[in-house]
Amino acid sequence: MQPCAAQPPPGGTTPGMRALLVGAGGMGQAWAKNLASNDEVELAGWVDVREGAAAAAAKQHDLAFDYTGSDVATAITECRPDFVVDVTPPEVHHDVTLLALSKGLPVIGEKPMAASMEQAKAMVKASEEAGKLYMVSQSRRYNSELRAYRLFIEENLGGIGILNADFYIGAHFGGFRDEMESPLVLDMAIHTFDEARFLSGKDPVAVYAEEYNPSWSWYKGDVSASAIFEMEDGMRFTYRGSWCAEGCHTSWDADWRAVGPRGTAIWQNNEQPFGQLVTKSGGFFSETEEVAAEVEKIPGGIEGSLKEFLRALQTGETPNGECHDNIKSLAMVFGAIESARRKERIQIAEIL
């Protein structure tokens, strides 16, 4: 499978590209403001399956759209957008993306790519057949501290063999997440799993995982999990997390430890990463010095995702989150879910 990216237009510019936004929930409203603040984008329309929801959200945020409605196909016909932004619940991503791609429209969608691997594979195939870019907004990749942490690891640790992430937050969302079977792993751990690939530069090989639901949980499905991933070159990535952990919250980006032959690097509470690096080996403990990572600020979150998506449309470059790559992060999610269900180690190739 080969990545798909749009051919750059003459002159390499995309003035006033028309965007159709699908989904008017909390993240949809965040994306509306993100689109409205980007001077390369013209807001052509907003759609939500709930009748009147898009119009009400537009009015609430004082945003002007050419079209608001409840049907995506009609909106595409009426608005003539240049691309589609899919901010629907995970189980809807497949239908919205396939429809947009079938109309020859590039898509940037929220994570996770799909509610199943079968749907995700169909979406990748649709991107190939349409010859249009489908990018998943893995917004954490645009965190300045995460990028600084990755560079620090690359430049100082001499490779890594151990990568750990802890994620503990007591999130009272309400809504669809409360009813999902695997809310933590499917809806949130995709961020952390993708970050692990981003930080290590390695793809998953196998996973053993457990999902469970503590007695005090306010979620219907299993909202806590532990997973051990074998990554390429024998590296191990360990994940521990819960969405019903009251108090002592970690960062939404998780708390991280990377270990290599030249030392250890830490990133916690979304603060400046640092490490202790070996200066002299020998004795019971090697001598080390503490070094802080240098952080260069970049457009973060969904602002960063949108900027990279637009740049990919302008240049034909393959962006972070392009579907052929992102499906590997999604395979970690469904590999973990399948391992927990079968109570055995799963080869990621089986999922892909």
Side-chain angles (χ1 to χ4, degrees):
M1 297 187 294
Q2 295 298 318
C4 296
Q7 292 297 314
T13 60
T14 53
M17 293 194 72
R18 292 171 62 80
L20 173 63
L21 176 60
V22 185
M27 272 307 292
Q29 293 177 48
W31 264 99
K33 291 185 283 187
N34 184 36
L35 291 161
S37 65
N38 189 298
D39 58 13
E40 294 184 79
V41 175
E42 178 185 350
L43 296 169
W46 198 354
V47 178
D48 192 285
V49 69
R50 299 166 297 164
E51 193 69 43
K59 182 178 180 180
Q60 177 185 346
H61 295 285
D62 195 27
L63 297 173
F65 287 85
D66 293 343
Y67 177 92
T68 58
S70 58
D71 182 73
V72 180
T74 301
I76 290 173
T77 300
E78 295 288 332
C79 298
R80 295 172 287 105
D82 295 303
F83 65 92
V84 169
V85 183
D86 178 17
V87 200
T88 58
E91 62 270 17
V92 186
H93 292 176
H94 170 267
D95 291 350
V96 171
T97 299
L98 261 60
L99 175 60
L101 291 171
S102 73
K103 301 294 185 181
L105 298 173
V107 178
I108 180 170
E110 266 298 324
K111 57 78 199 165
M113 181 188 294
S116 71
M117 284 301 295
E118 290 71 23
Q119 289 184 347
K121 291 172 187 177
M123 294 157 81
V124 172
K125 183 179 179 181
S127 173
E128 293 174 351
E129 292 176 345
K132 296 296 180 181
L133 173 62
Y134 171 41
M135 171 182 163
V136 180
S137 173
Q138 291 293 166
S139 57
R140 297 303 200 275
R141 289 197 178 207
Y142 305 95
N143 181 296
S144 299
E145 286 75 20
L146 178 72
R147 296 215 170 187
Y149 187 48
R150 180 191 186 189
L151 185 61
F152 186 90
I153 289 169
E154 290 176 348
E155 292 182 345
N156 293 286
L157 298 192
I160 56 174
I162 302 168
L163 185 64
N164 297 339
D166 283 342
F167 177 90
Y168 291 99
I169 287 178
H172 296 259
F173 290 108
F176 72 90
R177 292 179 181 86
D178 286 5
E179 302 300 319
M180 292 174 66
E181 290 186 10
S182 299
L184 177 73
V185 175
L186 181 58
D187 192 59
M188 186 64 207
I190 179 64
H191 278 308
T192 315
F193 295 173
D194 186 71
E195 285 174 296
R197 290 184 58 235
F198 182 72
L199 289 170
S200 67
K202 301 182 186 300
D203 288 331
V205 175
V207 60
Y208 178 78
E210 294 182 347
E211 290 186 285
Y212 56 100
N213 208 21
S215 61
W216 64 86
S217 171
W218 49 93
Y219 293 83
K220 179 180 178 181
D222 289 336
V223 76
S224 301
S226 299
I228 302 174
F229 287 92
E230 178 188 350
M231 308 293 280
E232 292 175 317
D233 301 324
M235 192 197 92
R236 292 301 191 273
F237 164 56
T238 302
Y239 172 86
R240 302 184 302 181
S242 177
W243 245 352
C244 65
E246 300 281 40
C248 297
H249 291 170
T250 64
S251 161
W252 282 91
D253 284 293
D255 287 349
W256 292 84
R257 175 183 291 260
V259 185
R262 299 177 189 165
T264 293
I266 300 291
W267 183 39
Q268 296 177 328
N269 301 317
N270 213 6
E271 297 174 349
Q272 184 178 19
F274 67 94
Q276 291 187 352
L277 308 178
V278 175
T279 56
K280 182 180 179 182
S281 298
F284 189 74
F285 291 124
S286 295
E287 294 182 15
T288 62
E289 65 173 351
E290 188 164 308
V291 180
E294 295 184 5
V295 179
E296 179 182 353
K297 289 298 180 182
I298 61 171
I302 59 176
E303 179 187 358
S305 293
L306 178 59
K307 284 182 177 294
E308 185 162 13
F309 177 73
L310 294 174
R311 185 169 64 250
L313 295 183
Q314 294 165 3
T315 66
E317 295 175 358
T318 302
N320 280 284
E322 194 277 333
C323 61
H324 291 78
D325 182 71
N326 188 254
I327 198 170
K328 298 175 186 177
S329 296
L330 191 68
M332 295 175 73
V333 169
F334 285 108
I337 291 172
E338 184 66 11
S339 173
R341 185 185 71 82
R342 285 161 42 178
K343 301 185 185 303
E344 64 184 32
R345 193 171 190 260
I346 297 292
Q347 296 294 314
I348 297 299
E350 175 185 341
I351 304 299
L352 285 168

